[in-house]
């Protein structure tokens, strides 16, 4: 089941929330800042122990003061025109998060629009990748069975809805 939700990802009732982090895993602005604020300072300590995360990969931590089971920190690519492996790297983020959720037995996972903020990925292209990867995973695997695309603004939510409808029509 795929849902589109408008609002703050830290308020969702799910097993996993995904953080759009950076390679240093030391916190930042945007959704990363919101997650660290809501989780409290122990999240930064846990991230420091991990040490970092390459672009396109994922690292997991507890969620501390956020009432979900796990935070998956993934690092999306910075958009530099699209010929520097950006689509493959963004695909990696979604694939690795979904595979880890399956391995950890997580039933539900919420994704923010990875790379669509300060990393400047064109939202239409990012949404296409996100929806494609999630649908491919749901066709293959029974877990996680619930995936939420959590958007901070209505324009982004509308892009996901359109992409989901386009896929259904195909
Ligand atoms: N809940 C859900 N979505 C949110 C929230 C929230 N609380 N806050 C922002 N968004 P961005 P990136 C949306 O910039 O482009 C950080 O500094 C936002 O509207 O957070 O992957 C990291 O440390 C946008 O659609 O992530 C990295 O350095 C989407 O989340 C860098 O930014 C992603 O925007 C990562 O940049």
């Amino acid at each position: 089941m795929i849902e589109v939700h408008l609002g703050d990802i830290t308020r969702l009732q799910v097993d996993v929330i995904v953080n759009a982090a950076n390679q240093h895993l030391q916190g930042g602005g945007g959704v990363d800042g919101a997650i660290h604020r809501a989780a409290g300072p122990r999240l930064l300590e846990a991230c420091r122990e991990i040490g970092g995360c390459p672009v396109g990969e994922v690292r997991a931590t507890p969620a501390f003061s956020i009432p979900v089971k796990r935070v998956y920190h993934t690092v999306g690519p910075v958009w530099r025109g699209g010929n520097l492996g950006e689509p493959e790297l963004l695909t990696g983020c979604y694939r690795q998060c979904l595979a880890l959720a399956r391995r950890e037995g997580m039933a539900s996972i919420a994704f923010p629009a990875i790379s669509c903020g300060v990393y400047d990925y064109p939202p239409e292209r990012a949404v296409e990748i996100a929806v494609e990867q999630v649908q491919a995973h749901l066709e293959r695997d029974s877990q996680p069975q619930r995936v939420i695309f959590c958007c901070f603004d209505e324009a982004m939510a509308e892009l996901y809805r359109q992409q989901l409808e386009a896929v259904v029509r195909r």
Side-chain angles (χ1 to χ4, degrees), residues 7-10 19-23 27-35 74 76-77 112-121 150-153 156:
D8 181 356
I9 200 165
T10 67
N19 182 16
N22 58 60
Q23 287 175 84
V31 69
D32 196 7
I35 289 174
T74 191
I114 302 163
S115 286
C116 292
V118 300
Y119 281 1
D120 221 17
Y121 209 106
C150 181
C151 307
F152 219 38
D153 58 77
M156 199 75 218

Side-chain angles (χ1 to χ4, degrees), residues 60-105:
T61 65
F64 301 102
S65 299
I66 303 175
V68 298
K69 291 179 181 165
R70 305 287 270 166
V71 178
Y72 289 177
H73 307 264
T74 191
V75 184
V78 175
W79 179 260
R80 292 198 173 91
N83 293 321
L84 293 170
E86 294 94 331
E88 292 77 14
L89 290 165
L90 189 61
T91 299
C93 292
Y94 285 96
R95 277 210 187 141
Q96 290 212 4
C97 287
L98 291 161
L100 183 59
R102 183 192 58 220
R103 285 202 300 279
E104 293 197 323

Side-chain angles (χ1 to χ4, degrees), residues 25 41-51 60-62 64 73:
L25 296 187
R42 284 178 300 165
L43 181 61
L44 193 55
E45 280 170 36
C47 286
R48 284 205 175 118
E49 270 172 35
I50 293 169
T61 65
F64 301 102
H73 307 264

